[in-house]
Amino acid sequence: MFDSILIANRGEIAARIIRTCKSIGVRTVAVYSEADASAPHVAAADEAVEIGPAHVTKSYLNQEAVLQAAADHDVDAIHPGYGLMSENPEFVRAVEDAGLVFIGPRPEVMELMGDKARARAFAEEAGVPVVPGSDGPVENADEAKKIAESLGYPVLVKASAGGGGIGMNLAANEKKLEKAIKTSIRRAESAFGDPTFYIEKYVENPRHVEIQVLADNDGHAVHFFERECSVQRRHQKVIEEAPSPASTRFDGLRDRMTKAALALVEASEYTNAGTVEFIVSPDGEFYFIEMNTRLQVEHPVTEMITGEDLVAWQLRIAAGESLSLAQEDLSIDGSAIECRIYAENPDKRFMPAPGNITEWIEPTGDGIRVDSGVTANTKVTPYYDPLIAKVIAHGESRMQAIERMKKALNEMTIGELTTNVPMHLAVLSKEQFVDGHVHTGWLETEYS
Ligand code: ADP
Ligand code: ADP
Ligand code: MG
């Protein structure tokens, strides 16, 4: 195992990684921007290094500054968390060139999966069902029209480099297609510096169901069952749970999806933790949409139902240990739900709502876990993602998890900041949610 690692991230995920390191005796080095000097992840780490001004390009995305901090503090490895540089193969190579270990998959597989059009083709080749769509990137509007015609409208124009729901636009008919393409290109260009796009059939009212996988460097891989993440706004998750209510609804669905996910892992020689994302149609058909080559925001629900620490496994695998878990060692215990607490206003089209946290009291209780990146007197700035904490509730049944979550959210005190907590409470009481019947467009129709 490593003696020490640097965490190239901030907020709740940096704090969460530090927690595992403490429990297994690994020294931690945090990095932070000028805006984050008093952040909890800085206080929690054994050492902390300021790496630049608030803006991410000058601090958290500044490879040189991060690598300098790693060298100065003599760490063995770097954990990238999620977002920021976690899916950047250039960064992985720079880490390795500096003689350090990157805690995550190899850069080649990251490159493959990071190009969503290429990943789709690769998955299809590996026998994984994909959404009907273009064979790879689409060159221009004329080609797009032909493809959309043969698929049938509505179609989704998606950026190959996309992530976070960015660069994805719906075209209901041919008239709307040109505009959808233009918007995708513009947004993809500014967010990722890459205008490449592809087209998928728009699956109506799907669920988002994903499989957590873990593989070591000797080709041994296991899955940690599924998570459902259908409560979304702007194609981004807000509430996640494990297991998925769809698994009880459709016979054999879990079995087929986990097999497909492991087939992709095997074909791509994937290593470390990853998530294979699918959408599931209302009639129980599933289709691959992408693979995320990192730890996922919603990984805690999986940890709650399996009793495993995914970050600890990431570290062990990166340190060269083989995966001492067989698939039979893993089983599902009860049900878990995660509510992402965002500093945003659901009544104002979910716009970010930065501000000062004057009071912060986290809920406790049976089955409750809170992963947070803030505390009292933290200033939520507009520089970063408005995710400030995650509340996770575990229960023997899904209903018990929901009830525990409601109690926890009612007890949570967040002074003076506008958050989506009231929205969570409303959703947790809606019949469709309680019945396990929501699709990815449902939340936005409730708040429009
Ligand atoms: P996930 O795919 O893990 O569920 P999302 O889809 O919500 O996460 O996030 C979309 C993208 O934004 C991902 O690349 C994720 O890593 C990134 N992201 C989300 N929240 C944060 C955050 N607090 N800080 C940095 N990056 C983030
Ligand atoms: P990102 O890389 O931004 O996470 P994904 O491809 O994972 O993009 O898709 C994000 C979300 O967009 C999905 O969870 C789903 O809600 C919706 N989505 C993606 N592809 C389709 C599709 N073909 N049909 C319907 N909805 C889709
Ligand atoms: Mg996704």
Side-chain angles (χ1 to χ4, degrees):
M1 184 45 75
F2 306 118
D3 289 328
S4 65
I5 71 165
L6 179 144
I7 296 106
N9 213 299
R10 62 179 301 281
E12 64 87 17
I13 195 61
R16 188 261 166 276
I17 294 163
I18 292 168
R19 202 157 63 222
T20 285
C21 290
K22 286 200 163 137
S23 78
I24 58 176
V26 172
R27 188 172 62 96
T28 52
V29 177
V31 292
Y32 63 97
S33 72
E34 281 167 15
D36 277 340
S38 59
H41 81 275
V42 176
D46 294 312
E47 287 154 60
V49 190
E50 190 184 302
I51 50 165
H55 200 279
V56 283
T57 55
K58 300 223 162 73
S59 49
Y60 297 106
L61 293 179
N62 182 343
Q63 297 192 18
E64 269 171 43
V66 170
L67 290 172
Q68 189 61 51
D72 291 346
H73 290 261
D74 199 24
V75 301
D76 303 319
I78 296 186
H79 195 305
Y82 55 72
L84 299 174
M85 298 194 286
S86 64
E87 293 171 282
N88 181 344
E90 305 303 314
F91 180 61
V92 182
R93 293 194 173 103
V95 170
E96 291 174 351
D97 288 347
L100 304 173
V101 176
F102 177 83
I103 301 171
R106 289 172 299 107
E108 297 79 22
V109 76
M110 193 177 270
E111 230 150 35
L112 166 67
M113 299 302 176
D115 178 342
K116 294 172 71 179
R118 219 178 121 204
R120 238 176 83 79
F122 188 91
E124 198 170 15
E125 189 79 5
V128 177
V130 301
V131 189
S134 57
D135 293 325
V138 176
E139 294 296 321
N140 52 44
D142 284 341
E143 192 189 339
K145 267 183 203 154
K146 283 191 203 120
I147 294 165
E149 187 87 6
S150 69
L151 292 171
Y153 287 91
V155 297
L156 208 49
V157 179
K158 295 173 90 168
S160 290
I166 298 164
M168 199 181 302
N169 285 285
L170 180 67
N173 51 51
E174 189 178 316
K175 254 172 68 189
K176 303 254 168 75
L177 183 63
E178 209 145 330
K179 187 162 171 249
I181 293 171
K182 280 200 181 119
T183 313
S184 282
I185 289 179
R186 181 163 38 78
R187 298 225 47 210
E189 185 88 83
S190 74
F192 318 112
D194 176 2
T196 313
F197 72 94
Y198 63 107
I199 289 182
E200 269 177 14
K201 170 94 185 145
Y202 180 69
V203 178
E204 312 246 12
N205 303 334
R207 292 168 187 264
H208 175 114
V209 182
E210 58 187 33
I211 308 293
Q212 174 73 53
V213 295
L214 190 67
D216 67 14
N217 300 300
D218 311 317
H220 176 45
V222 294
H223 69 78
F224 287 70
F225 313 100
E226 79 280 3
R227 294 183 285 258
E228 175 157 350
C229 318
S230 299
V231 181
Q232 304 185 348
R233 48 109 181 81
R234 285 195 293 270
H235 305 299
Q236 257 201 310
K237 304 152 188 168
V238 186
I239 299 179
E240 304 98 339
E241 58 183 294
S244 161
S247 291
T248 35
R249 196 143 295 144
F250 301 106
D251 236 16
L253 181 65
R254 173 180 297 141
D255 195 44
R256 286 183 287 132
M257 288 184 76
T258 53
K259 280 203 173 83
L262 288 177
L264 186 62
V265 167
E266 190 179 339
S268 61
E269 297 178 31
Y270 193 83
T271 54
N272 215 288
T275 294
V276 185
E277 296 193 331
F278 298 94
I279 46 180
V280 177
S281 69
D283 56 2
E285 293 301 317
F286 69 91
Y287 308 94
F288 169 81
I289 48 173
E290 67 161 342
M291 179 167 195
N292 291 326
T293 54
R294 55 173 163 85
L295 187 68
Q296 203 96 337
V297 178
E298 59 274 19
H299 76 280
V301 291
T302 300
E303 297 186 322
M304 297 292 260
I305 62 157
T306 59
E308 296 292 334
D309 182 333
L310 289 167
V311 173
W313 282 115
Q314 284 193 294
L315 263 67
R316 288 186 201 113
I317 289 170
E321 289 178 33
S322 54
L323 185 54
S324 56
L325 266 183
Q327 192 63 57
E328 305 79 68
D329 296 333
L330 293 163
S331 60
I332 298 179
D333 170 27
S335 185
I337 296 185
E338 170 180 282
C339 288
R340 295 190 188 192
I341 313 302
Y342 283 105
E344 67 181 21
N345 191 341
D347 294 325
K348 286 197 178 149
R349 298 169 64 228
F350 299 97
M351 288 306 282
N356 286 327
I357 300 179
T358 53
E359 204 185 0
W360 180 262
I361 304 172
E362 295 184 356
T364 52
D366 284 344
I368 298 298
R369 161 175 168 181
V370 181
D371 285 13
S372 63
V374 297
T375 185
N377 301 320
T378 301
K379 199 176 198 171
V380 180
T381 65
Y383 299 111
Y384 315 111
D385 191 278
L387 179 74
I388 55 173
K390 304 179 310 206
V391 177
I392 307 102
H394 181 228
E396 282 167 28
S397 64
R398 184 169 181 270
M399 212 48 233
Q400 187 180 45
I402 293 175
E403 288 308 321
R404 286 179 168 175
M405 178 66 86
K406 282 204 249 181
K407 185 164 173 284
L409 293 181
N410 276 314
E411 281 171 17
M412 189 167 193
T413 309
I414 308 175
E416 302 291 318
L417 191 76
T418 302
T419 72
N420 62 348
V421 169
M423 180 212 78
H424 280 304
L425 283 165
V427 169
L428 294 167
S429 295
K430 296 257 184 204
E431 198 180 315
Q432 295 99 312
F433 180 79
V434 173
D435 290 347
H437 264 316
V438 306
H439 59 80
T440 57
W442 175 76
L443 181 67
E444 285 188 4
T445 58
E446 293 287 312
Y447 282 85
S448 56

